[in-house]
């Protein structure tokens, strides 16, 4: 872990960046920028010594950064305007301009990390392990504006990294999960199972992903900064295991002692499993396996529900 640095984090009320802010605040000066509609999250961060600053990326009339210190050594830009799924212009504009303004303000930093997404990749056969140089052009029928806004923002980040000479990493995150916030996609789907809803799965084969526990996210952030370059370094950011969504849900259902229900459908939440060769070379292997990670995450979110069954099932 790094120490004695001045770190700016956006999206720190979210599932991914919050544990990073909490961990780094122990040995660094950490500032978190956001709207903080979740006032409890802001207070809890402040209690840990984190400084907070109101910043709304969507406030396009001005950058909202006037008066904020500009001597940050490291930046993690994790905020994302997910949008309404309809207004493509607004999604692209808010996210791309927000990234550009932040990079301009923090141009003196040693490293800038932009948290992108596996959603940028074009569809592949379900078993394909996606590499950083695979085709872009992701489609998400349930939030069509999201992939294009991530691709557009990657473009802005590439441009500002070069024009500002700011060492930058674009980390394309896979499915993140853990104890914070809503817990991530596996927990969101598990909540649907608990409510008795069947989960849509592809008619053939499994829908694979490479889930990463937020404990791994936390220790890898300083190494992603270390990997930053001009032009940008692009890295697939994922867990080491390629796992079927159906397998994950079946495992969690077993831990909770419920029967999972699946519905074969052409319309399902498509994900990708990643080829992690570049990340392993630059950063190393992950520490949390998917079964252990899901067990711990399920316990954090449903302590009463899973305790006995989880003790019985273990691996
Ligand atoms: P969340 O949806 O949990 O949180 C989103 C964050 O963005 C919040 O902290 C919110 O802060 C901030 N934000 C949203 N709109 C604005 C705005 N207009 N101005 C300033 N801040 C804003 O996100 P996650 O933690 O799940 O995701 C973090 C990043 O990782 C995102 O960039 C996402 O695209 C990417 N990602 C996440 C994955 C996952 O599995 N979770 C998978 C792949 C990529 P506040 O409300 O306080 O303003």
């Amino acid at each position: 872990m790094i120490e004695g640095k001045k770190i700016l984090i956006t999206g720190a009320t979210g599932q991914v960046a919050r544990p990073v802010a909490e961990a780094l605040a122990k040995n660094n000066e950490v500032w978190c920028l956001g709207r903080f509609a979740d006032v409890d999250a802001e207070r809890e961060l402040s209690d840990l010594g984190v400084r907070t600053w109101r910043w709304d990326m969507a406030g396009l009339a001005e950058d909202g950064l006037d008066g904020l210190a500009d001597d940050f050594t490291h930046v993690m830009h994790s905020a994302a305007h997910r949008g309404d799924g309809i207004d493509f212009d607004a999604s692209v504009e808010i996210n791309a301009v927000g990234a550009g303004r932040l990079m301009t303000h923090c141009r003196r930093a040693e490293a800038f990390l932009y948290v992108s997404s596996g959603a940028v990749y074009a569809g592949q056969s379900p078993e394909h392990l996606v590499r950083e140089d695979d085709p872009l052009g992701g489609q998400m029928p349930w939030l069509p504006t999201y992939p294009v806004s991530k691709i557009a923002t990657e473009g802005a980040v590439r441009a500002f990294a070069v024009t500002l000479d700011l060492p930058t990493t674009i980390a394309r995150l896979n499915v993140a999960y853990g104890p914070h916030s809503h817990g991530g996609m596996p927990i969101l789907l598990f909540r649907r199972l608990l409510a008795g809803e069947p989960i849509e799965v592809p008619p053939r084969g499994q829908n694979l992903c490479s889930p990463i526990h937020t404990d791994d996210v936390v220790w890898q952030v300083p190494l992603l900064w270390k990997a930053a370059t001009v032009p940008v370094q692009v890295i697939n950011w994922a867990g080491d295991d390629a796992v079927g969504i159906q397998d994950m849900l079946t495992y969690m259902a077993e831990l909770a002692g419920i029967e999972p229900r699946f519905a074969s459908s052409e319309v399902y939440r498509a994900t990708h499993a990643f080829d992690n060769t570049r990340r392993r070379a630059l950063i190393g292997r992950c520490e949390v396996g998917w079964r252990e990670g899901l067990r711990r995450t399920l316990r954090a979110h449903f302590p009463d529900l899973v305790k006995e069954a989880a003790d019985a099932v273990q691996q």
Side-chain angles (χ1 to χ4, degrees):
M1 266 298 165
I2 59 174
E3 296 179 3
K5 299 295 183 183
K6 186 163 178 177
I7 296 169
L8 186 158
I9 298 178
T10 69
T13 54
Q15 186 221 344
V16 173
R18 171 118 184 232
V20 178
E22 291 183 0
L24 291 177
K26 290 178 189 146
N27 297 308
N28 300 276
E29 181 178 331
V30 175
W31 290 66
C32 290
L33 273 58
R35 299 162 304 173
F36 296 104
D38 182 348
V39 287
D40 288 342
E42 182 174 25
R43 187 179 30 78
E44 286 159 17
L45 285 166
S46 299
D47 288 348
L48 295 172
V50 168
R51 327 250 173 126
T52 57
W53 173 275
R54 300 274 158 164
W55 182 57
D56 183 354
M57 279 193 299
L60 290 169
E62 51 187 35
D63 73 6
L65 299 169
D66 272 0
L68 175 69
D70 62 359
D71 57 349
F72 295 98
T73 58
H74 295 79
V75 181
M76 176 186 189
H77 182 31
S78 187
H81 169 81
R82 292 185 190 267
D84 57 6
I86 299 167
D87 192 339
F88 284 79
D89 251 8
S91 286
V92 167
E93 182 103 347
I94 290 167
N95 286 296
V97 172
R101 283 174 162 167
L102 193 65
M103 292 179 82
T104 305
H105 190 86
C106 301
R107 61 172 70 196
R108 292 194 285 142
E110 291 169 30
F112 187 97
L113 167 63
Y114 172 59
V115 184
S116 186
S117 168
V120 298
Y121 291 115
Q124 299 277 354
S125 68
E127 309 79 33
H128 177 73
L129 299 182
V130 175
R131 289 162 40 113
E132 287 85 353
D133 56 1
D134 269 326
L136 301 179
Q139 304 279 324
M140 276 180 31
W142 62 96
L143 193 58
T145 49
Y146 180 71
V148 72
S149 75
K150 296 305 275 190
I151 294 171
T153 306
E154 283 197 9
V157 168
R158 285 173 190 262
F160 279 90
V162 171
T163 55
L164 299 170
D165 197 25
L166 174 55
T168 296
T169 297
I170 292 176
R172 292 181 178 148
L173 188 61
N174 207 288
V175 170
Y177 68 99
H180 288 86
S181 184
H182 50 67
M185 191 256 266
I187 298 298
L188 293 174
L189 291 180
F190 178 76
R191 284 185 197 282
R192 288 183 54 201
L193 280 186
L194 273 184
E197 284 179 45
I199 306 299
E200 305 78 19
V201 292
R204 290 161 298 282
Q206 280 230 36
N207 186 20
L208 293 181
C209 65
S210 304
I212 181 167
H213 192 276
T214 47
D215 280 4
D216 280 320
V217 166
V218 167
W219 69 260
Q220 291 182 9
V221 165
L223 298 176
L224 290 169
W225 279 323
K226 213 170 168 187
T229 51
V230 179
V232 299
Q233 175 75 257
V234 177
I235 303 179
N236 277 348
W237 197 14
D240 287 322
D241 308 311
V243 193
I245 302 284
Q246 205 165 332
D247 287 346
M248 289 202 296
L249 291 172
T250 301
Y251 180 66
M252 287 193 284
E254 199 182 347
L255 291 176
I258 63 168
E259 197 61 42
R261 292 176 61 206
F262 299 104
S264 172
S265 169
E266 295 292 344
V267 184
Y268 56 91
R269 285 208 166 203
T271 51
H272 307 283
F274 281 176
D275 179 317
N276 289 309
T277 308
R278 188 176 295 173
R279 191 256 302 155
R280 285 204 192 102
L282 290 165
I283 291 178
R285 297 187 70 85
C286 289
E287 292 176 351
V288 184
W290 71 273
R291 287 188 184 82
E292 179 205 336
L294 284 182
R295 206 164 55 236
R296 279 167 33 195
T297 302
L298 211 54
R299 276 193 177 172
H301 289 276
F302 307 94
D304 300 331
L305 180 67
V306 296
K307 191 170 181 329
E308 286 170 27
D311 284 341
V313 175
Q314 287 298 316
Q315 289 288 348

